[in-house]
Amino acid sequence: MSGCKAKKLVLVRPVPTDIQKKFEAKCKKDYNLNVITRMVGKTFWIYAPTDKPLFDFAADTPTPPDPLKKPAKYELLYINGEFKDQGFNFEYDVVPKTKSDLSNEGIRNEGTDYFNKLYNNIFTAITETLLDPDLPISFVVIAITDIKKGLEARYTFYLEDYRMASVEGIPYDEFSKRVLQESKGSTEYIGDEIGQHLEYNDIQMPDFLAKQMVNRIRFKFTQSDFPPQENYEEAILGIIADTTRYYHFTKFTEVRTDDIRNKKKMIFTPKQLDYFGEDKPNSASKENGKLIHIVFENGQTSIKDQ
């Protein structure tokens, strides 16, 4: 007797739209790239499979300490965020930093020259085909996959952000912070020439913002020249508040935070977020009223002024 191995279902690709055909033709004609696209709702997916390496190691030139950069006082061990029940939910674990960062021994991981060229060519094709504001596209997902080694670099961004960066409406550094970047690896990617492993979905703004907030908070603790110094809770809330302002997003009822190490949970209304962030409204800083939030701590509920 011999066993039967289950066959993996092959996704049937929907008939491509005119903009998909235009984008794919542009990549093929100008850069000899065989990309596969898919429209899901208002999300434009781009799959770029390759059998060439995406990542490599290189020597890292030592840099002297920046005298203007403040040393980190806290270490972010964990953070997770999501949009659920009409609100943003964040849990995190922060501890005092007790030692300096370890040396990287002069080695850094970086994209190969081939990967950088491929990445730039795809963005050039996006610039030349997808920036028409009348196109029904809100989000773009780029998946560049080494189907020989099973490694993938994925980028998700709000197309209007890229339009703004293209005309210097926002600095490109700011656009980079708004892009969700992920590096993934799986044996399922090996030999996948059509993007079979991708879970195609229509990106929704609140889910995108929750992930972007997590990325910004992680950046603030680990890479910023001005990491949190005294009140890390206020720094976290400031990033959450500023991000909702950048996108003029108001379709949420509250922000819930959970400091899991200190067993401290807090709830903030959109109005209370006006008191936080680098871009908080001037009126909030001038008001004499108190900021009141509900604290759930050790199973008890209390009201706290700030």
Side-chain angles (χ1 to χ4, degrees):
M1 295 180 65
S2 61
C4 296
K5 186 177 181 180
K7 293 183 178 180
K8 187 174 182 179
L9 296 176
V10 177
L11 294 176
V12 178
R13 185 191 184 197
V15 177
T17 63
D18 289 342
I19 189 60
Q20 287 178 259
K21 294 177 182 178
K22 182 178 179 181
F23 181 84
E24 292 177 12
K26 182 74 176 178
C27 289
K28 180 63 177 178
K29 179 181 178 182
D30 291 3
Y31 311 114
N32 196 31
L33 293 179
N34 292 310
V35 302
I36 299 172
T37 64
R38 187 183 291 255
M39 279 291 299
V40 183
K42 292 188 176 182
T43 302
F44 191 87
W45 286 76
I46 303 167
Y47 182 58
T50 178
D51 59 0
K52 296 181 180 180
L54 304 182
F55 308 109
D56 200 358
F57 291 100
D60 196 11
T61 303
T63 56
D66 186 350
L68 299 179
K69 183 175 181 178
K70 295 183 178 181
K73 293 187 66 174
Y74 298 102
E75 186 172 0
L76 180 66
L77 299 183
Y78 164 80
I79 183 168
N80 186 49
E82 64 176 352
F83 185 81
K84 185 178 180 181
D85 298 330
Q86 299 304 309
F88 291 103
N89 301 273
F90 295 90
E91 60 177 13
Y92 49 82
D93 187 8
V94 177
V95 297
K97 198 172 184 66
T98 58
K99 58 183 179 180
S100 60
D101 294 327
L102 297 177
S103 171
N104 62 8
E105 303 299 337
I107 298 175
R108 73 173 185 273
N109 191 2
E110 64 176 15
T112 60
D113 291 341
Y114 171 79
F115 168 78
N116 292 330
K117 183 178 180 181
L118 174 58
Y119 174 88
N120 290 330
N121 287 342
I122 290 175
F123 262 91
T124 300
I126 291 172
T127 303
E128 296 178 353
T129 58
L130 301 185
L131 293 192
D132 183 346
D134 292 330
L135 291 175
I137 300 174
S138 295
F139 291 94
V140 175
V141 182
I142 304 171
I144 303 175
T145 308
D146 178 348
I147 61 174
K148 186 176 181 180
K149 294 185 177 181
L151 300 175
E152 181 173 278
R154 191 177 300 186
Y155 304 87
T156 304
F157 60 93
Y158 185 49
L159 188 55
E160 184 60 25
D161 285 340
Y162 187 54
R163 291 191 183 104
M164 292 291 290
S166 299
V167 296
E168 299 183 355
I170 60 174
Y172 197 83
D173 285 348
E174 171 62 23
F175 169 69
S176 298
K177 292 179 183 178
R178 299 187 183 192
V179 178
L180 303 182
Q181 303 182 32
E182 301 173 276
S183 296
K184 298 173 173 285
S186 172
T187 55
E188 291 186 355
Y189 305 169
I190 297 176
D192 186 0
E193 298 181 350
I194 62 174
Q196 178 79 2
H197 69 276
L198 294 175
E199 297 179 358
Y200 297 100
N201 64 309
D202 188 15
I203 307 297
Q204 301 300 310
M205 178 59 80
D207 298 321
F208 173 78
L209 291 183
K211 291 181 179 180
Q212 187 185 133
M213 291 168 185
V214 167
N215 284 358
R216 286 179 176 272
I217 292 168
R218 188 176 289 117
F219 178 89
K220 183 70 173 178
F221 277 84
T222 61
Q223 296 177 260
S224 172
D225 289 341
F226 302 97
Q229 294 297 302
E230 301 302 330
N231 190 335
Y232 63 81
E233 291 177 334
E234 185 172 335
I236 291 172
L237 287 167
I239 291 170
I240 295 169
D242 281 338
T243 305
T244 61
R245 294 181 193 117
Y246 298 153
Y247 289 88
H248 307 287
F249 185 76
T250 59
K251 296 181 180 179
F252 66 102
T253 57
E254 58 191 17
V255 170
R256 313 173 194 101
T257 64
D258 183 359
D259 185 339
I260 58 179
R261 183 168 297 268
N262 295 313
K263 296 183 174 64
K264 183 178 181 181
K265 297 183 179 181
M266 296 186 291
I267 298 177
F268 297 86
T269 67
K271 181 62 178 176
Q272 288 173 326
L273 289 184
D274 286 348
Y275 291 83
F276 298 96
E278 296 179 359
D279 296 324
K280 60 186 175 184
N282 291 331
S283 58
S285 60
K286 295 178 181 178
E287 291 179 4
N288 294 322
K290 293 182 179 180
L291 174 60
I292 301 175
H293 53 252
I294 304 172
V295 179
F296 299 92
E297 195 167 4
N298 296 324
Q300 301 296 318
T301 303
S302 60
I303 303 296
K304 181 180 179 180
D305 294 347
Q306 181 167 322

